[in-house]
Amino acid sequence: MDNRNDLWRHVDANKERLIALSDRVWGMPEVCYTEARSSAEHTAELEHQGFRVTKNVAEIPTAVIGEAGEGGPVIAFMGEYDALPGLSQEAGVASHKPVEDGGHGHGCGHNLLGSAALLAAVAMKEWLAENKLPGRVRYYGCPAEEGGAAKAFMVRAGAFDDVDVAISWHPSSWWEVAPPLALANTRADFVFTGRTSHAAAAPHLGRSALDAVELMNVGVNYMREHMPSDARVHYAVLDTGGIAPNVVQAHARVRYSIRARDLRGMLELVQRVKKIAEGAALMTETKMEMRIVSAVSDLLGNTPLEQAMHGVMEELGPPHFDDADRAFAQDIRKTLQPQEIASIWRTIGMEDSGAALADFLVPLDAKRNPAIGSTDIGDVSWAVPTVQAHAPTVAIGTPFHTWQVVSQGKTPAAHKAMIHVAKAMVGTGAAVLLDPALMAAAKADHKKKLGADGYTSPLPPEVKPPLTMSLGG
Ligand SMILES: [Zn+2]
């Protein structure tokens, strides 16, 4: 029972089915809350494996939970299956070849992410049953990681209230415990309404919403000097008010993404951006409405879980890549900029060795220079002790959200990494389940990191999952 090989046998016994699932999901790329087929594929697999299935989690039609086992602690494995727009690409070729012009593609490897997490859950289910152990395992099928923040809505709806530990992973260049760093992020639309008029005959009667957007952006760009250096603010103009320069634009809309190192810092920054928008409205005599689209929290680490996962990954060793895997990764490497490769090596504090696939475990105390984005697992990490792995599904240096990730989404190397990380995840879950002291330490660490203020969802209560929003990224 305490033999990990026993646990991993269950991963190997189910790997072919889950690799096939990953490849099918790769072939039906669906973005941000439209993952009907991908979610149905995951649901069908959960049902086939005998999980108790809950659909429409948090009133999101493409979110699903499967549970197995009885009593004991609840271990959650976190899966995703959303793709990205505009990244259609053939598999297994080292050049940019869309399958369908303008089509979607799995540019973040979430086909592998969801399938490996489900594989870990299946293995844990069988292991619990075989050893007659108390404990429940859950698979969380989470849509819309890219820009939709589904997990933040699922946390707000209470879907993690009785979970003891959450375990996740993400495709990467590296084999490592993921450093617990992510920025809190709010997406908000600023909608300006003015008054139209003929721009030559009666310009004094018009009040331009587009002017307001421009002034707002200028104001925010002046704010940059006076915000924390690790905060990030970026925008896209979604509505310029029309294409006719001789008509004063009565409506305009700009979408902002406002990121900061922690939740409190982000909420402060959102208020400052809102004041600038109000100022722009005042200057232009237009009306302004701020609409929060989605929001995610920063990531809380969990030291005992990170150490436990690192131990399991050390025991497993890196995935066993062969010469064919390395040769294709070298072909992909040739399509990358040297700066891209160098910057990925810098994230683990190392120099480019020329290797195309990671064949070592990154030390837990590597001198990192991380590139920090945002993720909706942030909110899960505030709700319950959470740990994440990275597994090398791509050639070292491959930037995410690119055709190169899509091309590598079905390679034998990616499949090996996916199976390997499922073993790391289920090994970590079993370690927590079998060791009450580790469970207690993980919970104590979580409580300490939550601090006196605890967690408040960054989503205002009136904001619903943006199910019809079609913008990824
Ligand atoms: Zn991703």
Side-chain angles (χ1 to χ4, degrees):
M1 186 173 86
D2 51 355
N3 185 345
R4 289 221 175 88
N5 287 325
D6 189 36
L7 200 55
W8 293 337
R9 184 166 48 77
H10 293 290
V11 174
D12 287 323
N14 289 283
K15 66 185 182 188
E16 297 306 334
R17 288 188 63 86
L18 277 296
I19 286 173
L21 174 72
S22 174
D23 288 357
R24 285 200 302 281
V25 170
W26 184 96
M28 54 178 78
E30 298 167 304
V31 301
C32 210
Y33 291 117
T34 66
E35 311 89 344
R37 290 174 67 203
S38 306
S39 166
E41 287 278 354
H42 280 243
T43 304
E45 184 62 23
L46 286 168
E47 283 167 349
H48 170 84
Q49 299 280 359
F51 283 78
R52 303 180 286 273
V53 171
T54 307
K55 296 177 192 171
N56 204 36
V57 179
E59 293 175 51
I60 300 170
T62 51
V64 63
I65 295 176
E67 188 191 74
E70 299 297 337
V74 177
I75 308 290
F77 292 105
M78 307 298 304
E80 297 167 11
Y81 28 69
D82 59 320
L84 284 156
L87 285 178
S88 174
Q89 165 67 30
E90 271 181 37
V93 295
S95 60
H96 187 201
K97 271 192 192 165
V99 178
E100 179 195 348
D101 277 328
H104 306 328
H106 270 284
C108 208
H110 294 179
N111 57 308
L112 296 157
L113 201 171
S115 300
L118 184 42
L119 178 54
V122 168
M124 177 160 270
K125 171 187 176 287
E126 293 185 351
W127 173 81
L128 285 170
E130 190 177 78
N131 294 287
K132 301 190 172 48
L133 286 168
R136 280 166 290 160
V137 55
R138 283 202 200 134
Y139 170 74
Y140 280 73
C142 307
E145 195 282 325
E146 305 289 356
K151 294 187 201 73
F153 290 100
M154 292 163 79
V155 168
R156 192 182 66 178
F160 293 86
D161 284 358
D162 62 346
V163 169
D164 287 282
V165 162
I167 301 172
S168 189
W169 80 288
H170 200 283
S172 168
S173 287
W174 304 123
W175 175 241
E176 63 177 352
V177 177
L181 292 167
L183 300 175
N185 185 8
T186 287
R187 283 182 176 220
D189 286 357
F190 295 87
V191 184
F192 292 90
T193 309
R195 198 164 64 224
T196 189
S197 72
H198 192 292
H204 56 292
L205 297 180
R207 297 292 181 268
S208 169
L210 180 58
D211 286 357
V213 164
E214 292 193 74
L215 287 165
M216 177 186 174
N217 293 346
V218 169
V220 169
N221 288 334
Y222 271 93
M223 182 190 74
R224 287 181 199 282
E225 191 186 346
H226 310 288
M227 64 183 205
S229 57
D230 50 7
R232 300 282 185 270
V233 178
H234 21 265
Y235 55 83
V237 180
L238 300 191
D239 174 16
T240 58
I243 55 163
N246 59 351
V247 177
V248 173
Q249 293 85 351
H251 51 86
R253 181 157 68 115
V254 59
R255 174 164 294 174
Y256 267 77
S257 180
I258 303 160
R259 309 191 203 221
R261 198 55 180 265
D262 58 32
L263 212 46
R264 187 180 312 275
M266 180 193 74
L267 294 172
E268 280 173 20
L269 209 52
V270 170
Q271 288 311 311
R272 291 176 72 189
V273 171
K274 188 181 175 203
K275 279 184 194 161
I276 292 169
E278 286 165 351
L282 199 60
M283 282 189 278
T284 52
E285 298 186 333
T286 56
K287 281 203 193 64
M288 188 280 294
E289 191 197 343
M290 179 173 93
R291 295 180 196 154
I292 304 279
V293 179
S294 64
V296 299
S297 299
D298 53 316
L299 201 54
L300 281 197
N302 192 285
T303 310
L305 291 181
E306 285 151 20
Q307 287 166 346
M309 179 175 260
H310 189 81
V312 176
M313 292 172 89
E314 214 161 28
E315 201 176 312
L316 268 168
H320 304 291
F321 297 121
D322 61 23
D323 288 345
D325 298 331
R326 282 185 281 269
F328 181 63
Q330 284 292 353
D331 289 344
I332 290 286
R333 183 183 155 98
K334 289 186 195 109
T335 71
L336 307 176
Q337 303 290 329
Q339 306 93 298
E340 285 170 336
I341 299 171
S343 83
I344 294 292
W345 279 95
R346 271 199 300 279
T347 64
I348 59 162
M350 289 176 73
E351 296 286 320
D352 181 1
S353 73
L357 282 172
D359 58 357
F360 60 93
L361 176 63
V362 179
L364 212 45
D365 60 353
K367 298 271 173 284
R368 298 172 186 279
N369 301 288
I372 310 177
S374 302
T375 165
D376 64 0
I377 200 96
D379 292 87
V380 177
S381 77
W382 283 82
V384 295
T386 301
V387 67
Q388 291 188 86
H390 280 160
T393 64
V394 295
I396 294 170
T398 305
F400 277 71
H401 299 193
T402 59
W403 66 261
Q404 286 94 336
V405 173
V406 188
S407 172
Q408 295 171 87
K410 294 206 289 186
T411 58
H415 293 153
K416 286 173 194 172
M418 172 195 144
I419 294 153
H420 224 59
V421 82
K423 290 179 179 174
M425 291 168 81
V426 72
T428 306
V432 178
L433 214 110
L434 292 175
D435 183 356
L438 174 56
M439 176 77 89
K443 289 192 170 177
D445 190 75
H446 186 251
K447 202 170 165 205
K448 194 177 90 196
K449 284 176 179 149
L450 271 179
D453 297 329
Y455 168 69
T456 312
S457 174
L459 294 164
E462 71 278 7
V463 175
K464 297 252 188 307
L467 300 180
T468 53
M469 179 187 74
S470 59
L471 264 181

